[in-house]
């Protein structure tokens, strides 16, 4: 696959030079300066799919530093704390996503010209529909990141910018029409290596198109429910959706430096487990650590109601993380079976999945870390091996200066199964478990679905467990009524709300004195006023969050912007956050939409070089070109 990609690069580069302009934005490049007879549609499809895999340069800036941060799948503090970088944004907007859209739009236009002139191959019509389906994905990625984009852009003239509502209506209509015209029974196709996703298996493309339509329709569930329901029901009940892992939209990864390199492979990115993830998985599902780990790894497993060691002077007080202030000096009694496989246990260096990144340093294998006194001297040294902790990001003030437990080898980090370079991994763009969780949500909303909500929900869990190789725990897991740290359980039929608080044990970390405390489940005030923690929508999105964690941060961010689920803790405000002044010492226990990044602002080059276009885009946005301006389909306050 990679060899063919390189072989065709010379032709593509020649065409690109023909229709490149020296002006400012990739959006305004003319892709038709070369005639339709000079190029083949499949070359442009191949390039757009491959490039959208993201090379290490843009993957770090967008996938990691923007999407993973905003989705609370990595502890970074960029969009999640009101920050951004204009250079990263410019690269993605101008040089990457616009180029992917230009390439796939060229594929569509060339195919249409070939069909109009009769210069066709047996499969040209099908390639046109494949290109239209893939263009929708790229458009969705761009609009979900920035907001308004040009539906008719990438054709050589200054485009008109469309509202997010118009973009979504266009994308849904495109998917409906393209899927209907795609002949899945056609046996003629180009070289399969020129399709790095499906090898031009038209049946799988059709299933992907329908599942994408389900995804995008559900995005409108809160703002345009009737439109969402119609599109969702038509796609979901078509009988052709991604219902098994064999139909997943995946692209194989490789080593080196190219678009097929793992998007999380840069060694200097630690990919620490977040508090959001830990609160979601801890205690969830009733599967005990002793039943998940090899005998030699069953070290110091703690009781179910044990919080850990309490260090009130070394952890911040102004945090709505319900486990704030405690260091779990061991492993939890029970935890979601996917957790140890996503974030291996600190100190377990014999685990093949354990990350030794960066390989030029031994910092991530050093588990001995200290707590300091007010003078900066060592108060005590802790061993982080075989512990499982995460901490809220933000500004910790004096507590952070004295606490060395929040970094290095004491802190679970993303495993090598999701970071390694080589042919082992595949980046997942659309998995079968997402299809099932979408169906489960649709059933909760009362829409017509091909299977019932409980069946779809449990199938989504089963497919995710199969991916992780832990299917033997499914039966125990789906029956569990145990609450996680957020007050959500797994069982579909168990919708009893947790009590406001429960009694839990702890040990004073300074004196060794045992004690008890009232553990309060968090109030997620942007979902149902904070009073609902264990309804079926909470369950579905919790499961979706865990299943999507390693590969689909943009979708996790989209769900949180749309619903306020799952519970995202606020950044710590022991000191004011310069880019997030709306969180204060008096309101940090509540959630507000504007406490969380809602979009990436357009790059400054857009406003400087095309002021009229920028003004139009911002007008369509309906608010200032800022991080905390919600998109049309998202919660507004």
């Amino acid at each position: 696959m990679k060899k063919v990609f390189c072989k065709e690069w010379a032709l593509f580069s020649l065409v690109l030079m023909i229709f490149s302009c020296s002006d400012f934005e990739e959006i305004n490049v003319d892709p038709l300066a070369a005639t339709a007879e000079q190029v083949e549609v499949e070359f442009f499809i191949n390039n757009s799919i491959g490039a959208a895999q993201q090379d290490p340069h843009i993957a770090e800036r967008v996938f990691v530093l923007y999407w993973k941060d905003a989705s609370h799948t990595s502890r970074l503090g960029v969009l999640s704390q009101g920050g951004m970088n204009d250079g990263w944004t410019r690269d993605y907007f101008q040089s990457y996503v616009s180029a992917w859209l230009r390439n796939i739009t060229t594929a569509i236009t060339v195919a249409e010209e070939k069909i109009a002139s009769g210069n066709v191959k047996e499969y040209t019509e099908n390639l046109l529909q494949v290109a239209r389906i893939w263009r929708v994905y790229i458009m969705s990625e761009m609009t979900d990141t920035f907001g308004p984009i040009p539906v008719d852009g990438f054709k050589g003239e200054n485009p008109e910018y469309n509202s997010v509502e118009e973009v979504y209506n266009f994308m849904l209509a495109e998917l409906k029409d393209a899927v209907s015209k795609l002949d899945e029974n056609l046996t003629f196709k180009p070289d399969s290596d020129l399709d790095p996703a499906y090898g031009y298996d038209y049946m799988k493309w059709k299933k992907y198109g329908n599942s994408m339509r389900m995804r995008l329709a559900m995005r409108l569930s809160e703002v345009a429910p009737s439109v969402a329901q119609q599109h969702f029901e038509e796609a979901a009940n078509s009988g052709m959706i991604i219902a098994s892992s064999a139909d997943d939209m995946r692209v194989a990864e490789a080593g080196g430096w190219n678009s097929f390199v793992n998007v999380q492979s840069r060694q200097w990115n630690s990919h620490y487990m977040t508090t959001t993830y830990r609160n979601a998985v801890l205690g969830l599902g009733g599967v005990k650590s002793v039943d998940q780990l090899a005998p030699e790894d069953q070290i110091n497993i703690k009781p179910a109601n044990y919080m850990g060691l309490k260090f009130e002077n070394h952890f911040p007080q102004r945090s709505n993380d319900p486990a704030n202030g405690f260091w779990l000096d061991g492993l939890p009694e029970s935890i979601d079976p996917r957790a140890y496989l996503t974030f291996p246990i600190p100190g377990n260096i014999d685990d093949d999945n354990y990350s030794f990144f960066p390989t030029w340093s031994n910092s991530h294998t050093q588990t001995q870390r200290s707590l300091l006194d007010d003078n900066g001297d060592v108060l005590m040294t802790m061993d982080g091996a075989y512990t499982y902790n995460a901490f809220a990001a933000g500004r910790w003030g004096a507590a952070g200066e004295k606490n060395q437990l929040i970094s290095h080898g004491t802190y679970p980090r993303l495993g090598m199964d999701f970071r390694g370079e080589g042919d082992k991994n595949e980046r997942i763009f659309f998995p079968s478990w997402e299809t099932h969780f979408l169906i489960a949500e649709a059933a909760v909303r009362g829409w017509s679905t091909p299977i019932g909500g409980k069946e779809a929900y449990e199938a989504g869990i089963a497919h995710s467990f199969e991916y992780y190789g832990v299917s033997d725990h499914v039966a125990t897991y789906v029956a569990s009524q145990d609450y996680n740290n957020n007050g959500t359980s797994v069982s579909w039929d168990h919708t009893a709300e947790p009590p406001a608080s429960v009694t839990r044990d702890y040990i004073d970390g300074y004196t060794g004195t045992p004690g008890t405390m009232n553990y309060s489940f968090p109030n997620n005030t942007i979902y149902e006023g904070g009073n609902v923690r264990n309804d079926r929508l909470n369950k579905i999105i919790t499961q979706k969050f865990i299943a999507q964690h390693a590969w689909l941060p943009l979708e996790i961010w989209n769900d949180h912007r749309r619903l306020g689920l799952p519970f995202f803790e606020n950044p710590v405000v022991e000191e004011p956050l310069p880019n997030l002044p709306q969180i204060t010492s008096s309101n940090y226990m509540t959630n507000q939409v504007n406490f969380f990044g809602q979009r990436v602002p357009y790059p400054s080059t857009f406003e400087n070089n095309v002021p009229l276009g920028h003004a139009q885009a911002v007008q369509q946005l309906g608010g200032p070109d800022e991080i905390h301006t919600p998109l049309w389909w998202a919660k507004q306050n």
Side-chain angles (χ1 to χ4, degrees):
M1 173 173 58
K2 315 305 183 296
K3 183 181 293 184
V4 174
F5 176 82
C6 295
K7 182 175 72 175
E8 306 301 344
W9 179 253
L11 173 59
F12 173 75
S13 298
L14 176 62
V15 174
L16 186 62
M17 285 189 293
I18 291 172
F19 56 71
S20 291
C21 69
S22 59
D23 230 343
F24 81 102
E25 294 287 343
E26 296 290 347
I27 285 178
N28 297 309
V29 168
D30 179 3
L32 300 179
T35 66
E37 288 76 17
Q38 293 176 291
V39 293
E40 297 292 350
V41 177
E42 54 266 35
F43 297 159
F44 290 96
I45 295 175
N46 178 58
N47 185 263
S48 183
I49 295 174
Q53 175 81 1
Q54 299 190 11
D55 66 35
H57 172 82
I58 205 61
E60 181 181 27
R61 285 150 178 77
V62 175
F63 188 97
V64 175
L65 295 170
Y66 278 166
W67 296 345
K68 290 203 69 176
D69 174 72
S71 63
H72 284 215
T73 56
S74 193
R75 184 183 187 271
L76 294 161
V78 188
L79 290 172
S80 63
Q81 294 181 40
M84 52 84 69
N85 181 289
D86 188 59
W88 306 343
T89 306
R90 182 178 62 248
D91 282 354
Y92 177 62
F93 184 85
Q94 180 173 325
S95 301
Y96 282 85
V97 70
S98 294
W100 310 337
L101 271 169
R102 184 195 64 234
N103 294 339
I104 200 64
T105 299
T106 301
I108 293 168
T109 307
V110 169
E112 289 173 338
E113 285 198 358
K114 286 179 178 292
I115 292 168
S117 67
N119 178 29
V120 296
K121 296 182 179 179
E122 295 89 343
Y123 49 73
T124 302
E125 176 69 31
N126 262 14
L127 294 195
L128 171 59
Q129 310 315 327
V130 166
R132 293 173 71 195
I133 292 169
W134 181 246
R135 180 174 63 174
V136 167
Y137 169 74
I138 301 297
M139 292 182 72
S140 73
E141 183 178 301
M142 189 178 191
T143 190
D144 290 345
T145 300
F146 295 105
I149 62 171
V151 164
D152 290 325
F154 319 99
K155 294 182 178 179
E157 64 272 353
N158 289 329
E160 295 289 321
Y161 276 75
N162 298 92
S163 69
V164 174
E165 180 178 7
E166 291 169 336
V167 174
Y168 262 81
N169 287 335
F170 172 81
M171 292 191 297
L172 289 167
E174 274 288 277
L175 289 173
K176 178 179 181 178
D177 191 60
V179 166
S180 71
K181 294 176 179 176
L182 182 60
D183 181 2
E184 69 273 18
N185 297 313
L186 185 70
T187 58
F188 298 102
K189 65 180 183 179
D191 184 340
S192 61
D193 284 346
L194 291 174
D195 173 6
Y198 285 136
Y200 287 112
D201 184 323
Y202 302 129
M203 179 77 78
K204 291 184 177 182
W205 272 106
K206 198 157 195 171
K207 292 178 179 180
Y208 174 60
N210 279 323
S211 289
M212 269 296 296
R213 192 176 169 202
M214 293 166 60
R215 174 193 280 180
L216 299 184
M218 189 59 74
R219 195 93 78 239
L220 309 188
S221 59
E222 299 295 301
V223 68
S226 60
V227 174
Q229 181 177 356
Q230 178 182 350
H231 278 284
F232 190 95
E233 290 179 347
E234 288 178 3
N237 294 304
S238 67
M240 299 190 69
I241 56 178
I242 297 175
S244 71
S245 59
D247 296 325
D248 286 357
M249 175 59 157
R250 306 184 186 194
V251 176
E253 296 175 325
W257 184 289
N258 57 64
S259 295
F260 292 95
V261 174
N262 183 290
V263 287
Q264 301 172 97
S265 61
R266 297 308 91 187
Q267 293 199 23
W268 48 84
N269 298 136
S270 293
H271 295 284
Y272 290 124
M273 180 174 70
T274 65
T275 296
T276 304
Y277 185 83
R278 184 178 184 270
N279 285 333
V281 299
L282 210 68
L284 186 70
V287 182
K288 299 182 183 301
S289 289
V290 70
D291 294 326
Q292 300 182 42
L293 302 174
E296 62 271 21
D297 294 328
Q298 298 171 13
I299 299 172
N300 205 19
I301 296 173
K302 301 296 184 179
N305 67 335
Y306 177 68
M307 289 295 296
L309 302 178
K310 183 177 181 180
F311 293 107
E312 61 184 14
N313 296 323
H314 288 82
F315 288 92
Q317 301 301 305
R318 292 170 179 161
S319 169
N320 66 342
D321 169 17
N324 179 59
F326 294 92
W327 166 263
L328 181 59
D329 53 328
L331 299 176
E333 186 206 38
S334 63
I335 193 170
D336 188 292
R338 294 162 290 187
Y340 292 144
L341 300 174
T342 307
F343 296 97
I345 297 169
N348 187 11
I349 60 175
D350 292 328
D351 182 352
D352 291 340
N353 191 26
Y354 189 88
S355 173
F356 288 88
F357 286 172
T359 54
W360 57 82
S361 168
N362 64 355
S363 62
H364 290 304
T365 60
Q366 295 177 344
T367 59
Q368 299 283 332
R369 304 299 295 171
S370 299
L371 299 179
L372 309 178
D373 62 21
D374 292 338
N375 297 317
D377 298 323
V378 174
L379 178 67
M380 62 180 68
T381 298
M382 311 288 293
D383 190 352
Y386 289 86
T387 64
Y388 217 67
N389 293 279
F391 314 101
R395 302 196 72 174
W396 282 37
E401 295 173 2
K402 297 185 294 184
N403 191 332
Q404 297 181 351
L405 295 176
I406 59 175
S407 63
H408 302 283
T410 64
Y411 203 163
R413 293 171 299 115
L414 189 66
M416 290 303 295
D417 285 350
F418 307 101
R419 302 196 62 186
E421 296 184 12
D423 295 329
K424 178 181 178 181
N425 292 339
E426 294 175 304
R427 180 177 167 191
I428 299 176
F429 283 84
F430 203 114
S432 59
W433 60 73
E434 182 179 345
T435 300
H436 287 94
F437 290 136
L438 288 168
I439 292 172
E441 181 175 347
V444 168
R445 295 180 180 277
W447 299 352
S448 172
T449 55
I451 57 176
K454 180 178 181 179
E455 182 182 355
Y457 171 75
E458 293 184 351
I461 293 171
H463 285 222
S464 177
F465 273 43
E466 180 184 14
Y467 176 77
Y468 277 89
V470 293
S471 296
D472 53 330
H473 295 303
V474 168
T476 298
Y477 188 84
V478 298
S480 173
Q481 299 183 6
D482 295 347
Y483 296 113
N484 64 10
N485 274 8
N486 295 332
T488 306
S489 68
V490 176
S491 171
W492 179 263
D493 296 320
H494 177 243
T495 56
E497 287 294 314
S501 65
V502 294
T503 301
R504 290 189 176 174
D505 299 328
Y506 73 92
I507 295 175
D508 188 301
Y510 304 115
T511 67
T513 304
T516 60
M517 53 88 71
N518 288 326
Y519 176 88
S520 297
F521 293 99
N523 291 320
N524 185 8
T525 49
I526 56 175
Y527 179 74
E528 300 293 342
N531 299 314
V532 179
R533 303 177 180 89
N534 196 40
D535 66 350
R536 286 172 176 158
L537 197 52
N538 256 297
K539 295 175 187 291
I540 293 165
I541 302 302
T542 294
Q543 290 301 323
K544 199 174 173 187
F545 170 76
I546 297 168
Q548 307 275 59
H549 206 78
W551 293 119
L552 290 156
L554 179 56
E555 280 309 299
I556 292 173
W557 185 26
N558 288 337
D559 277 338
H560 190 266
R561 288 184 286 177
R562 174 172 65 98
L563 298 168
L565 294 175
F567 170 71
F568 279 10
E569 76 287 346
N570 296 327
V572 173
V573 285
E574 289 298 325
E575 295 177 351
L577 295 165
N579 298 316
L580 205 58
Q582 53 266 44
I583 300 183
T584 69
S585 60
S586 62
N587 68 5
Y588 65 87
M589 289 300 293
T590 64
N591 290 127
Q592 295 177 191
V593 167
N594 68 351
F595 286 2
F596 307 101
Q598 297 295 309
R599 58 181 290 273
V600 176
Y602 297 111
S604 60
T605 50
F606 181 30
E607 181 176 10
N608 294 337
N609 294 328
V610 193
L612 293 179
H614 178 263
Q616 184 185 50
V618 174
Q619 181 183 21
Q620 297 283 21
L621 180 64
D625 187 11
E626 296 174 355
I627 290 171
H628 294 103
T629 298
L631 300 185
W632 167 69
W633 47 259
K635 293 179 74 70
Q636 301 298 305
N637 49 52

